[in-house]
Amino acid sequence: MPKHYRPPGKKKEGNAAKYITRTKAVHYLQVSLSTFRKLCILKGIFPREPKKKVEGNHKTYYHMKDILFLAHEPLLEKFRDIRAHKKKVKKALARKNRDLADRLLNREPTYKLDRLILERYPTFVDALRDLDDCLTMVHLFAALPAVEGERIQVERIHNCRRLSHEWQAYVSRTHSLRKIFISVKGIYYQAEVEGQKITWLTPHALQQVLTDDVDYNVMLTFSEFYAALLGFVNFKLYHSINVKYPPILDPRLEALAAELYALCRYISAGSGRLSGYPQAIASIEDGQREVEKTDTRTEESELRLAQLQHQLPANEPGALMHLMENTDDMDDEDHEKKECRNLFRNFKIFLSREVPRESLLFVIPAFGGVVSWEGDGSPFKESDEDITHQIVDRPTQGHVFLSREYVQPQWVYDCINARIILPAEKYLVGRVPPPHLSPFVDNEAEGYIPEYAETIKRLQTAAKKQVLPMPGIENQDLDDPQTLLVEGIIDRTEANEAAEKKRKLTMLEKQYHDELNMELQGITYSTSLSNKNLQSSVENVKEDTVTTLEESEDLSKVSMSRKKRKLYEAMKIGQERKKEKIKVLKERKKNAEASKTG
Amino acid sequence: MVAAAAAAAAAMGKSRRSSKNSDRLEQEIDEKPAANGDVEEASDRDEESQPSDAASLSEDEGSPGSPVDSEEDNWDVSDDEDHRSGEESDSSEEEVPSRNTIGDVPLEWYKDEEHIGYDVAGRKIKKQARRDRIESFLAGVDDAKNWRKIYDEYNDEEVELTKEEVKIISRMLKGKTPHAGVDPYAPYVDWFVWDDKGHPLSNAPEPKRRFVPSKWEQKKVVQYVRAIRKGLIKFDKPKEEPHVYLLWGDDSSAAENKRHGLSYIPAPKPKLAGHEESYNPSVEYIPTQEEINSYQLMYEEDRPKFIPRRFESLRSVPAYEKALKENFDRCLDLYLCPRTRKKRINIDPESLKPKLPSRKDLRPYPRTCYLEYRGHTGPVKTISIDISGQWMASGSFDGTVRVWEIETSRCLRVWNVGEAIKHISWNPLPELPVLAISAGHDVLILDTGLGNAEEQARINELLHVEESKPEEDGGSTPVVSWVRDEKYDCIRLKHLKAVTTVEWHRKGDYFTTVVPSGDSRAILIHQLSKKHTQNPFKKLHGLPVSAVFHPTRSIFFISTKKNIRVYDLLKQKLVKKLETGVREVSSIAIHPGGDNVIVGSKDGKMCWFDMDLSSKSYKTLKAHPKDITNVAFHRSYPLFASCSDDCTAYVFHGMVYSDLNQNPLIVPLEILRGHTSSDGRGVLDCKFHPRQPWLFTAGADSIIKLYCH
């Protein structure tokens, strides 16, 4: 029997058997579409693109194995249970059987996502790799209005808020924040946790409006999964720095909406305690060797005491700082981390009322600064003499302390992105700050360098040269590949130009040498002849370049295969577009400058 | 509702009228004083014919008669009064001349009549004069009671409802009883007096079940108890377990930490924000107002999604209104978008270009125009170079054939054939300077007269045809008739249809002609020495385009529009079929080695076939944007060329190695320009010089050009 003929009722093969459309999948699983959707989101199952779309081009195809994977999912059964349970409750209420309804409501079937998370992210690094969307979602939900009766439950929003603060506290504590960018859409942060670059977006700290053009069921399902994921990730991260996870916060600070600060305090206290832990044990053991080793109860109580003793000084800010410094010294970290930790090291920064407090409270400690704000529960007051900078975002500043600088919030972010302390003149109160540039853009690859980026680069190189001879940081040498690389990157374009010049020079030199050689060999070429020769060669070269310019493209295109030719043309179009964009930018810049001067 | 109310009102008016008009009512009215006088008597007589008007009204409306209580008296009284007033109005209405008696017939019947019906006496009732709308409106404005007036179509008159009637209607609309006084839930008055009767209804003894506990209840209780004991029913709330714990222990065991199921394709990360998304971007990132306006003219997809804005300070940045929507879109992408792994190539486009040997190393090849041959007045369709390399013949649409001396560009001879020349070709034997010309339906074998005397004599002998030959064939019409042409002193082969190409065999005795519309006689092979014609290819698959002899062996190529068929002439069978895969083949050329073929097509592609390699093309070169008109191989140099209607000719290096393991090397060398387009046609023919690396091109601008190295 020929292979292409399949008698009715026989198994299918190939793409027809491997892939299944969404409708068929829903029928196959015997669930409603919304449940299917939820399952797909939770399990992380996505449609695939079959080579041959058997049922039609406009349909969504799932892999049959994925669907079987869903079919064997215990969650599916759980969803059915929940549905049945809801029906039971409804029935009981309709029959006015309050008793039964209450009893049923008490024992609502619930499900947990831990197994799913482990299934989707078998290792912790996998989870970190996929954390971008999770963090963005959680931060967005944290910014939504927590109003009773809205489409999103209040507990959920509070949970998201708590999780986001916990994450930020961890990032801030471990100094793993790398880049920050204030965009119109919100603030982008990039952190490096366990070698993974994690970028997330937090909306501006303003009231978000719940619009009607989104399907909240989908978003809620996502947020449910992401909240669970972030919970486990936070647990693991806190575990890694020896802090007990579900943190217990100072209720006073929590009430003042300074959860982040409260968390930071908690973490530093906790890690301090636990880092001091072995010492405590050692001392206790020393004592006990002499006496007895059996009485475990006393040991426990002693431990408790030691812990308490360590906790106590943590309440004072000075002691806290001390503890933090201690732990810092113990860590062995890479160069970048050190750089980040020491950026605002000797800075005491005070935030005015009008600046985005949450962001700055997160950012400044992450780069080693000490920060306070206007309001209750703040570690130090505005009148503190040691304050070096005050972040202000108002047209004019009334009362001015001469000992500190009054700068706009953008200064902090620009300093962080440049990794140097930028001069504060441009950011002073009342001035229009210089443009805020994205740290995510590779200017060289893009082909256009904004003016301010060049200024920052110059400042950076200047700072490096200043820093180098200092005795404190001797271990980073000129030979350090990273610094070299950085410097290399800095003047890549310049290098290109230089290389071009160099080539020309070498060519001329070579010619000269040839002539010299000829003279040395004593070949009596008449000058006119040699000149002619030279000229002809030059002409030759010229002609060659012209022809290559004109025809080489056409000719080499002819001998390319069609696939390569199309690819080549597409790439050329892309390059053209890029060039066009840069041209527009340059044009605009020129116009702006002209209008400024004229 | 309103319509229903109006209908009800009309019915009411009608009923009232009918009740008034009925004889019985008149009788009642007559009886009224008596009834007033003696109530008891009336009640005795009949319940239905109660004297009060109210009862009669209610009866007319179809409501069941209910016993009138003393409480309802006051209502009765009011109704009485009402009726009395009604009667007063009635008395005034007595003057209304007549009432309609047509009965229950459709009123349409009287639509076109002047009357609406007949009164009791059988007189016609005239229609009242119609008031127009404005008048009725004005009347309505003036009259405060207008809203109570209803037009009775049946009697053609306006009826004014009383206030009571309006009340009744409104009550009916609300779904209440028509009269306020009716109590629908009057207490039930039992007809039987139960007191002091002394006997129960049933005298059965009290059953036992009233005294023993229920068995079923007990069973239910037992069920519950068992369920509680088993733990099926629990009363205390379930204990809350910690919802987070250390999920990822150690990541060391790699085998266990593998994801199950299909390969996971991580979702691509969202694009990171660039400079333009900053709250305070550089000036150059902010588009001007004109640019923003111009975005409106763009297509929806091309329009930039985000327009940069600049804020003076951080405090003036508003909340981003699309935050939720964008996040939602990302969610949709994550769970709805099909994911596939795609290889992104991040390479320099220049690296895609194949590494070709330098063109300098491949010299000599024709590069610049060296000579032009002018003289033709129409597009030069075809050229042919003598094997000696001294002469060139050209044929043009102006009907002339010219022979040129190549080195001096001097035109030696001109023949005016009269018809457009399609193809021209020199005999490959050097001692036989004879031209084969195809023009119209004929092929001419023309003596050019360029040979020496001895050769001329031979040619004359060869070109001699006996005139009697055609008659000998007799019955069937001959495919071709060999005729002596006196004018040019040559042989004329008359075909049945137009001939396009004529090609010589390498030995110069045979030649083939192609008649595309000739069906089974499309491809003919002629023998010059015997003046004989054969038609070996009876069946052709597709329209023939051209036919060529193999340069060394007895193999014959026939190209149809799609395919090339290769025949062995000795064995007389098909050797190979080359599939071009192009839209329409226009020309074919055979490599002098004989194993490689190039085919030009009308979609501008040129295919190189290696016959030993495959029946598919070894390389397809897309050089020309327009039709390729001809392709040519050089006889000795590794060169080949193609010319096209886009006024260019390409010269390629095509090296064929004797080592069979090495594929031919094809390098594009030069684009030859110079011809101008006329009538949409460019270069019509190209031929190489037999010994020099020179290329001749014939253009539609009636010029022949010679390109030299």
Side-chain angles (χ1 to χ4, degrees):
Chain A
M1 196 181 291
K3 205 187 170 193
H4 62 265
Y5 175 69
R6 187 175 55 245
K10 286 282 178 196
K11 268 175 127 183
K12 285 191 214 162
E13 285 173 353
N15 275 338
K18 252 195 214 161
Y19 293 96
I20 184 170
T21 60
R22 193 183 65 170
T23 320
K24 285 196 173 163
V26 167
H27 283 304
Y28 182 87
L29 295 175
Q30 298 189 3
V31 289
S32 66
L33 183 59
S34 57
T35 317
F36 176 73
R37 203 172 275 162
K38 201 168 170 186
L39 264 177
C40 280
I41 292 170
L42 292 178
K43 285 279 274 187
I45 281 174
F46 45 84
R48 303 205 179 225
E49 194 94 342
K51 281 218 178 74
K52 196 190 283 175
K53 295 184 171 176
V54 182
E55 305 255 349
N57 266 335
H58 56 289
K59 295 197 173 170
T60 322
Y61 291 86
Y62 286 88
H63 201 285
M64 199 55 211
K65 276 188 181 171
D66 277 338
I67 298 303
L68 288 174
F69 195 37
L70 281 186
H72 289 89
E73 172 61 46
L75 211 57
L76 189 65
E77 217 36 60
K78 208 79 189 172
F79 282 144
R80 288 188 182 131
D81 284 352
I82 289 172
R83 193 153 170 263
H85 182 265
K86 271 185 186 155
K87 268 189 188 167
K88 276 182 201 163
V89 172
K90 205 176 163 193
K91 208 185 250 179
L93 284 175
R95 287 179 177 166
K96 306 215 167 92
N97 194 348
R98 196 69 234 175
D99 253 11
L100 181 62
D102 283 346
R103 210 167 63 225
L104 285 172
L105 282 173
N106 266 344
R107 311 200 57 79
E108 223 168 346
T110 52
Y111 57 91
K112 289 167 104 187
L113 296 172
D114 49 349
R115 198 187 40 76
L116 272 186
I117 290 169
L118 197 60
E119 198 176 86
R120 280 176 71 170
Y121 307 111
T123 58
F124 183 53
V125 178
D126 293 335
L128 285 180
R129 254 178 227 148
D130 251 12
L131 212 59
D132 285 18
D133 289 312
C134 167
L135 284 171
T136 306
M137 185 88 165
V138 166
H139 278 87
L140 175 71
F141 264 67
L144 292 182
V147 182
E148 206 70 64
E150 281 283 4
R151 274 160 287 200
I152 300 166
Q153 288 169 356
V154 176
E155 305 99 73
R156 193 163 267 194
I157 289 172
H158 284 312
N159 187 31
C160 283
R161 218 177 141 67
R162 187 178 56 78
L163 286 170
S164 65
H165 282 136
E166 282 162 11
W167 165 260
Q168 286 180 8
Y170 170 79
V171 168
S172 173
R173 172 69 191 76
T174 54
H175 307 290
S176 39
L177 194 63
R178 291 292 172 268
K179 285 169 181 173
I180 307 162
F181 177 52
I182 316 172
S183 85
V184 175
K185 295 179 179 177
I187 305 178
Y188 287 90
Y189 296 100
Q190 191 173 62
E192 199 175 330
V193 179
E194 303 211 350
Q196 299 297 322
K197 278 201 172 128
I198 301 167
T199 317
W200 74 96
L201 170 71
T202 65
H204 288 296
L206 292 159
Q207 194 72 300
Q208 288 288 335
V209 183
L210 295 184
T211 46
D212 281 329
D213 51 354
V214 302
D215 181 359
Y216 285 95
N217 286 334
V218 170
M219 292 199 82
L220 284 173
T221 314
F222 266 105
S223 82
E224 182 188 348
F225 178 76
Y226 283 152
L229 172 64
L230 191 56
F232 283 108
V233 167
N234 279 347
F235 191 101
K236 169 90 181 171
L237 290 174
Y238 275 56
H239 182 79
S240 70
I241 54 166
N242 288 334
V243 180
K244 194 170 177 298
Y245 173 57
I248 302 134
L249 302 184
D250 187 349
R252 191 172 63 94
L253 283 173
E254 213 172 349
L256 288 167
E259 289 112 326
L260 190 61
Y261 176 65
L263 259 172
C264 285
R265 274 181 59 159
Y266 172 79
I267 290 175
S268 48
S271 61
R273 178 186 81 211
L274 288 170
S275 61
Y277 197 74
Q279 293 172 359
I281 290 174
S283 66
I284 288 162
E285 275 182 356
D286 281 342
Q288 281 190 340
R289 254 177 222 152
E290 294 165 11
V291 190
E292 260 179 23
K293 285 188 178 180
T294 47
D295 200 351
T296 49
R297 276 190 185 176
T298 48
E299 192 181 317
E300 264 180 26
S301 60
E302 287 263 357
L303 256 174
R304 268 266 175 81
L305 262 175
Q307 284 172 14
L308 278 173
Q309 273 173 0
H310 275 281
Q311 256 181 342
L312 272 173
N315 289 338
E316 302 169 35
L320 177 83
M321 299 314 307
H322 179 69
L323 271 175
M324 277 176 82
E325 275 163 32
N326 277 349
T327 51
D328 285 353
D329 290 338
M330 282 165 73
D331 292 333
D332 51 337
E333 292 151 342
D334 57 299
H335 164 75
E336 198 176 13
K337 199 158 198 177
K338 204 174 250 169
E339 199 180 57
C340 286
R341 203 181 55 213
N342 294 332
L343 186 67
F344 292 134
R345 189 165 189 75
N346 300 319
F347 285 46
K348 217 168 173 188
I349 297 170
F350 188 81
L351 309 180
S352 273
R353 225 160 13 92
E354 69 280 359
V355 299
R357 191 174 77 187
E358 275 201 4
S359 169
L360 285 167
L361 273 186
F362 162 45
V363 161
I364 294 170
F367 287 86
V370 183
V371 66
S372 176
W373 66 95
E374 206 168 302
D376 291 338
S378 54
F380 49 86
K381 296 278 165 238
E382 193 180 356
S383 52
D384 196 328
E385 287 295 317
D386 297 337
I387 292 171
T388 53
H389 289 80
Q390 182 158 349
I391 312 290
V392 172
D393 192 7
R394 51 179 86 167
T396 49
Q397 173 71 16
H399 180 256
V400 173
F401 289 92
L402 288 174
S403 61
R404 61 182 83 159
E405 294 202 72
Y406 288 85
V407 288
Q408 298 194 28
Q410 196 194 318
W411 175 78
V412 176
Y413 299 111
D414 281 354
C415 283
I416 286 164
N417 287 337
R419 293 287 153 72
I420 48 164
I421 302 300
L422 294 171
E425 290 102 51
K426 286 184 177 174
Y427 299 93
L428 287 184
V429 186
R431 292 193 189 172
V432 175
H436 181 61
L437 299 173
S438 169
F440 305 122
V441 180
D442 183 4
N443 284 324
E444 271 81 15
E446 211 59 29
Y448 179 78
I449 308 173
E451 197 183 357
Y452 193 62
E454 281 170 6
T455 330
I456 287 178
K457 225 177 260 166
R458 245 175 279 128
L459 287 170
Q460 272 172 333
T461 44
K464 276 232 171 64
K465 270 163 202 161
Q466 267 182 7
V467 163
L468 271 176
M470 275 175 75
I473 320 165
E474 260 179 356
N475 52 351
Q476 53 163 320
D477 237 0
L478 254 178
D479 298 326
D480 191 341
Q482 215 161 11
T483 52
L484 275 183
L485 196 86
V486 167
E487 276 174 352
I489 285 167
I490 284 163
D491 39 28
R492 201 192 289 167
T493 43
E494 288 164 28
N496 278 344
E497 281 171 23
E500 195 113 315
K501 269 183 193 168
K502 213 175 195 175
R503 214 177 49 211
K504 274 182 194 166
L505 271 175
T506 45
M507 268 185 77
L508 280 174
E509 211 168 337
K510 200 184 167 191
Q511 208 175 4
Y512 179 67
H513 272 288
D514 285 349
E515 278 174 46
L516 270 182
N517 275 338
M518 271 195 263
E519 272 187 34
L520 275 176
Q521 279 163 7
I523 299 164
T524 51
Y525 276 122
S526 69
T527 47
S528 62
L529 200 79
S530 67
N531 264 346
K532 225 183 211 172
N533 221 354
L534 241 172
Q535 267 181 357
S536 71
S537 72
V538 164
E539 269 171 18
N540 230 350
V541 166
K542 238 183 204 172
E543 189 193 56
D544 251 22
T545 50
V546 168
T547 47
T548 45
L549 273 175
E550 276 179 357
E551 287 175 3
S552 64
E553 204 169 281
D554 284 351
L555 287 174
S556 52
K557 253 194 210 172
V558 165
S559 54
M560 278 190 218
S561 69
R562 182 166 63 181
K563 197 173 167 190
K564 274 191 176 171
R565 192 170 63 231
K566 294 268 149 104
L567 183 65
Y568 178 81
E569 278 162 9
M571 283 172 119
K572 278 282 168 200
I573 287 171
Q575 282 184 341
E576 279 303 308
R577 210 171 280 161
K578 211 168 177 183
K579 267 182 205 162
E580 200 64 30
K581 258 185 203 164
I582 290 165
K583 216 176 117 191
V584 167
L585 285 181
K586 280 181 178 161
E587 187 87 347
R588 277 189 202 151
K589 170 120 205 202
K590 216 171 157 189
N591 288 343
E593 272 171 6
S595 64
K596 211 181 271 176
T597 55
Chain B
M1 255 328 228
V2 176
M12 180 94 72
K14 206 187 278 180
S15 75
R16 204 178 67 182
R17 185 168 298 283
S18 68
S19 73
K20 274 173 204 156
N21 292 335
S22 68
D23 296 325
R24 199 180 64 192
L25 195 90
E26 273 167 8
Q27 203 177 6
E28 275 174 15
I29 291 165
D30 290 343
E31 280 172 8
K32 203 172 183 183
N36 278 343
D38 190 2
V39 179
E40 274 185 285
E41 193 187 315
S43 64
D44 275 352
R45 207 172 60 196
D46 193 1
E47 270 199 8
E48 282 182 7
S49 60
Q50 271 196 12
S52 74
D53 285 340
S56 71
L57 185 70
S58 66
E59 182 193 24
D60 281 335
E61 283 162 17
S63 65
S66 60
V68 180
D69 292 341
S70 55
E71 296 162 19
E72 293 171 6
D73 273 353
N74 53 356
W75 168 70
D76 273 353
V77 168
S78 71
D79 213 47
D80 262 358
E81 284 165 7
D82 163 39
H83 262 264
R84 236 174 284 134
S85 64
E87 270 164 278
E88 276 164 22
S89 66
D90 268 2
S91 61
S92 65
E93 271 174 24
E94 294 281 294
E95 278 90 52
V96 176
S98 58
R99 289 168 186 91
N100 207 348
T101 59
I102 54 169
D104 190 14
V105 295
L107 293 176
E108 288 170 17
W109 293 359
Y110 292 90
K111 205 170 67 183
D112 299 330
E113 304 294 335
E114 296 221 318
H115 58 283
I116 58 159
Y118 307 92
D119 63 359
V120 186
R123 283 177 306 232
K124 284 182 178 174
I125 306 170
K126 282 269 162 59
K127 274 185 185 168
Q128 283 182 1
R130 282 267 158 263
R131 284 198 294 186
D132 64 2
R133 289 227 167 219
I134 294 176
E135 265 177 61
S136 59
F137 173 73
L138 287 176
V141 169
D142 292 340
D143 192 0
K145 288 178 192 163
N146 185 52
W147 64 278
R148 275 196 267 150
K149 280 184 186 161
I150 283 159
Y151 175 65
D152 180 6
E153 208 178 352
Y154 188 78
N155 287 313
D156 192 26
E157 62 187 13
E158 274 197 338
V159 182
E160 189 183 325
L161 300 176
T162 61
K163 277 187 183 168
E164 310 305 325
E165 283 164 347
V166 169
K167 252 180 215 165
I168 288 170
I169 290 166
S170 68
R171 283 185 65 81
M172 282 167 78
L173 280 177
K174 282 174 190 162
K176 294 176 182 170
T177 51
H179 296 291
V182 176
D183 180 13
Y185 308 109
Y188 176 67
V189 182
D190 206 346
W191 54 272
F192 187 76
V193 185
W194 296 90
D195 305 335
D196 308 325
K197 286 295 188 279
H199 287 287
L201 277 181
S202 160
N203 213 8
E206 196 85 346
K208 191 186 174 186
R209 64 175 175 273
R210 305 255 166 94
F211 307 103
V212 293
S214 161
K215 180 188 173 188
W216 307 110
E217 267 179 23
Q218 193 206 353
K219 278 197 164 181
K220 197 80 201 164
V221 168
V222 167
Q223 219 177 2
Y224 278 136
V225 167
R226 279 188 185 147
I228 290 167
R229 276 187 195 152
K230 270 187 187 170
L232 296 176
I233 298 174
K234 286 176 196 155
F235 294 98
D236 49 342
K237 267 200 154 185
K239 248 208 290 189
E240 290 220 346
E241 290 166 36
H243 59 281
V244 282
Y245 56 93
L246 191 63
L247 188 63
W248 296 279
D250 54 337
D251 293 350
S252 55
S253 54
E256 211 175 280
N257 293 336
K258 277 279 292 252
R259 210 185 132 98
H260 299 289
L262 284 175
S263 67
Y264 175 64
I265 306 170
K269 300 211 165 176
K271 206 170 160 269
L272 288 173
H275 293 314
E276 69 279 355
E277 275 187 39
S278 167
Y279 87 99
N280 179 17
S282 308
V283 207
E284 60 263 31
Y285 287 100
I286 300 163
T288 57
Q289 192 57 46
E290 291 97 69
E291 280 169 316
I292 292 171
N293 292 342
S294 73
Y295 293 158
Q296 295 302 316
L297 299 175
M298 289 168 134
Y299 282 112
E300 186 84 39
E301 296 120 37
D302 301 340
R303 206 174 292 161
K305 306 273 177 301
F306 177 82
I307 296 171
R309 287 176 65 193
R310 188 187 168 97
F311 295 96
E312 290 290 303
S313 61
L314 192 53
R315 67 174 183 279
S316 54
V317 181
Y320 185 57
E321 68 271 16
K322 279 190 274 185
L324 212 58
K325 178 82 173 101
E326 278 181 8
N327 202 296
F328 176 61
D329 287 345
R330 174 72 185 167
C331 286
L332 288 188
D333 283 353
L334 284 178
Y335 91 92
L336 276 182
C337 269
R339 292 187 202 167
T340 41
R341 278 187 201 283
K342 268 201 179 152
K343 257 209 288 192
R344 283 235 172 266
I345 358 173
N346 189 16
I347 48 164
D348 183 26
E350 300 305 319
S351 67
L352 284 173
K353 288 181 177 172
K355 280 267 176 294
L356 293 176
S358 163
R359 289 193 290 161
K360 263 184 223 163
D361 305 341
L362 302 177
R363 278 176 188 167
Y365 56 86
R367 286 161 67 194
T368 48
C369 182
Y370 181 70
L371 268 179
E372 287 185 356
Y373 303 86
R374 292 168 186 271
H376 281 292
T377 52
V380 185
K381 173 72 176 103
T382 170
I383 48 177
S384 179
I385 321 294
D386 177 27
I387 192 75
S388 62
Q390 203 176 352
W391 316 108
M392 175 179 68
S394 65
S396 156
F397 283 153
D398 61 4
T400 57
V401 174
R402 284 167 188 259
V403 173
W404 315 77
E405 192 177 16
I406 286 171
E407 284 177 7
T408 56
S409 80
R410 186 167 63 93
C411 181
L412 269 185
R413 290 192 67 175
V414 184
W415 291 276
N416 197 348
V417 177
E419 277 179 288
I421 313 292
K422 287 281 170 55
H423 198 254
I424 193 166
S425 128
W426 283 95
N427 191 305
L429 293 180
E431 67 272 13
L432 205 64
V434 169
L435 273 175
I437 303 160
S438 76
H441 289 206
D442 301 342
V443 172
L444 300 173
I445 309 295
L446 194 69
D447 175 20
T448 54
L450 292 170
N452 50 29
E454 191 186 331
E455 285 168 2
Q456 279 300 323
R458 271 194 56 210
I459 290 165
N460 280 335
E461 194 184 329
L462 200 64
L463 295 185
H464 181 70
V465 190
E466 290 100 46
E467 290 297 324
S468 58
K469 229 180 180 182
E471 279 94 70
E472 276 177 20
D473 281 350
S476 63
T477 49
V479 178
V480 170
S481 51
W482 293 67
V483 184
R484 176 85 198 155
D485 192 315
E486 294 302 332
K487 188 179 167 194
Y488 304 115
D489 196 23
C490 66
I491 301 177
R492 186 181 282 266
L493 280 80
K494 287 191 171 168
H495 290 69
L496 297 173
K497 299 270 173 58
V499 185
T500 50
T501 65
V502 50
E503 291 280 353
W504 288 96
H505 186 249
R506 66 178 186 281
K507 282 175 182 161
D509 192 19
Y510 290 94
F511 63 95
T512 177
T513 56
V514 176
V515 185
S517 51
D519 295 332
S520 64
R521 298 159 179 181
I523 294 182
L524 303 170
I525 296 179
H526 313 276
Q527 194 177 9
L528 183 60
S529 57
K530 292 183 180 168
K531 318 287 184 294
H532 176 64
T533 299
Q534 301 174 48
N535 181 16
F537 306 102
K538 291 282 188 319
K539 196 178 172 193
L540 288 166
H541 304 267
L543 267 178
V545 175
S546 64
V548 198
F549 286 100
H550 191 275
T552 51
R553 287 189 289 158
S554 60
I555 286 175
F556 193 64
F557 296 83
I558 297 174
S559 76
T560 56
K561 276 193 173 180
K562 294 275 176 199
N563 298 320
I564 314 286
R565 284 165 179 274
V566 186
Y567 292 93
D568 192 330
L569 289 174
L570 291 180
K571 290 179 190 166
Q572 298 192 337
K573 66 174 192 181
L574 183 70
V575 177
K576 206 163 190 143
K577 198 175 120 189
L578 305 176
E579 287 160 19
T580 56
V582 296
R583 210 178 63 222
E584 196 179 334
V585 173
S586 68
S587 51
I588 177 173
I590 318 292
H591 189 264
D595 276 343
N596 294 283
V597 178
I598 49 173
V599 171
S601 82
K602 289 207 169 171
D603 46 358
K605 280 180 192 159
M606 183 164 53
C607 308
W608 176 292
F609 288 93
D610 192 333
M611 301 249 286
D612 297 334
L613 210 63
S614 154
S615 65
K616 297 261 171 59
S617 70
Y618 158 66
K619 203 152 210 174
T620 305
L621 303 166
K622 171 100 176 85
H624 298 282
K626 283 185 176 175
D627 304 6
I628 287 178
T629 50
N630 204 5
V631 288
F633 266 115
H634 199 280
R635 278 172 67 97
S636 48
Y637 284 98
L639 291 173
F640 65 98
S642 69
C643 62
S644 151
D645 276 341
D646 60 353
C647 300
T648 59
Y650 275 67
V651 181
F652 299 87
H653 175 86
M655 180 59 117
V656 177
Y657 300 96
S658 51
D659 180 10
L660 286 177
N661 286 330
Q662 203 164 2
N663 284 327
L665 172 76
I666 298 170
V667 182
L669 289 177
E670 192 73 40
I671 306 169
L672 302 176
R673 302 171 208 272
H675 284 284
T676 51
S677 174
S678 92
D679 204 13
R681 310 219 59 185
V683 185
L684 297 180
D685 199 2
C686 65
K687 286 271 156 51
F688 277 105
H689 192 274
R691 286 195 307 276
Q692 300 290 337
W694 298 347
L695 185 74
F696 297 89
T697 55
D701 50 356
S702 68
I703 298 171
I704 304 163
K705 291 192 178 214
L706 167 61
Y707 292 90
C708 294
H709 59 281

